[in-house]
């Protein structure tokens, strides 16, 4: 099935059923690894909103959730180098176990920025859970990236929270650009 968003056409790549199944596995793994602690999940808005909601439903632990808002694409297809901070973290993470939640890690610039920023606040630990990861596009070594839903090709994707010029975030499945 294809969808048109603005001027571009996208085809279905990951159906929601697969996202759901993989998210349940990630939730189980995280629940085991954080047994006996109360982690804070920190979502990076906007793209993370659907994944964060579905992931937390699969986490069987006492846990907190907070959000930050950063942006790097500014509506285009390519990641930009500059990161704009739109909303800061409102909780104290000192001494806490933090799980950063991302919809996608592309160049890794956003994640590098986030991990450095949060590390400066002296958490007990930081690990990252990303639904999508593009190994070919990655420009950084980020060992905190411990939980990955799907490794994907270096293609532009939308849906399930991800946008093209702000549209497409409401699509239930994930779609890739048709060349
Ligand atoms: C996307 C995505 C990640 C980042 C990944 O956010 O949600 O945060 O880009 O790209 P990178 O690894 O190259 O830094 P975007 O800036 O599009 O903002 P959004 O979440 O509001 O869509």
């Amino acid at each position: 099935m294809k969808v048109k968003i603005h001027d571009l056409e996208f085809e279905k790549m990951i159906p929601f059923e697969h996202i759901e199944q993989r998210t349940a596995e990630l939730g189980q793994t995280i629940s085991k690894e954080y047994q006996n602690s109360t982690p804070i999940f920190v979502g990076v808005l906007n793209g993370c909103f659907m994944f964060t909601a579905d992931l937390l439903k699969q986490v069987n632990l006492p846990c907190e959730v907070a959000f930050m808002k950063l942006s790097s694409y500014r509506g285009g297809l390519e990641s930009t180098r500059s990161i704009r901070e739109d909303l800061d973290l409102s909780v104290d993470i000192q001494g806490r176990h933090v799980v950063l939640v991302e919809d996608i890690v592309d160049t890794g610039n956003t994640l590098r920025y986030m991990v450095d920023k949060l590390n400066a606040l002296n958490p007990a630990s930081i690990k990252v859970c990303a639904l999508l990861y593009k190994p070919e596009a990655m420009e950084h070594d980020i060992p905190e990236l411990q939980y990955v839903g799907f490794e994907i090709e270096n293609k532009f994707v939308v849906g399930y929270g991800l946008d093209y010029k702000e549209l497409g975030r409401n699509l239930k499945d994930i779609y890739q650009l048709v060349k």
Side-chain angles (χ1 to χ4, degrees):
M1 196 187 103
K2 290 187 180 166
V3 294
K4 187 148 192 237
I5 302 177
H6 294 295
D7 53 326
L8 297 178
E9 203 174 35
F10 294 83
E11 63 192 357
K12 199 183 278 191
M13 183 177 79
I14 309 176
F16 176 70
E17 292 69 31
H18 291 183
I19 299 171
E20 197 176 31
Q21 190 185 351
R22 186 72 190 113
T23 302
E25 290 167 4
L26 290 170
Q28 281 164 19
T29 304
I30 290 170
S31 301
K32 267 191 211 145
E33 295 193 8
Y34 287 85
Q35 252 175 22
N36 306 318
S37 67
T38 305
I40 302 183
F41 290 82
V42 176
V44 186
L45 293 169
N46 286 333
C48 77
F49 76 97
M50 275 202 194
F51 178 49
T52 307
D54 286 342
L55 178 67
L56 288 197
K57 286 179 232 167
Q58 302 293 338
V59 171
N60 185 21
L61 289 172
C63 61
E64 295 178 33
V65 64
F67 294 93
M68 290 186 67
K69 179 161 163 43
L70 301 178
S71 50
S72 65
Y73 278 98
R74 314 276 170 77
L77 292 178
E78 298 289 323
S79 181
T80 61
R81 304 289 134 189
S82 62
I83 290 169
R84 193 179 66 202
E85 246 182 70
D86 293 332
L87 178 70
D88 206 352
L89 193 61
S90 58
V91 290
D92 183 5
I93 61 165
Q94 184 168 4
R96 301 294 303 274
H97 294 288
V98 173
V99 181
L100 259 177
V101 183
E102 265 286 22
D103 50 324
I104 186 165
V105 177
D106 194 328
T107 62
N109 288 330
T110 306
L111 196 55
R112 175 79 278 152
Y113 181 94
M114 284 290 296
V115 169
D116 290 347
K117 183 182 165 79
L118 296 187
N119 261 328
L121 301 172
N122 300 315
S125 69
I126 296 184
K127 286 186 184 177
V128 179
C129 179
L131 178 63
L132 305 174
Y133 169 46
K134 292 180 177 176
E136 289 164 32
M138 186 67 159
E139 296 177 5
H140 300 270
D141 179 26
I142 306 181
E144 290 87 353
L145 181 56
Q146 295 277 325
Y147 311 110
V148 170
F150 301 93
E151 289 195 1
I152 61 168
E153 281 178 70
N154 193 7
K155 287 189 177 166
F156 190 80
V157 290
V158 297
Y160 195 68
L162 292 100
D163 72 307
Y164 169 48
K165 294 185 185 172
E166 294 304 326
L167 294 184
R169 295 192 194 274
N170 59 316
L171 295 168
K172 191 173 178 182
D173 312 286
I174 292 173
Y175 291 75
Q176 68 182 10
L177 182 63
V178 180
K179 282 283 176 199

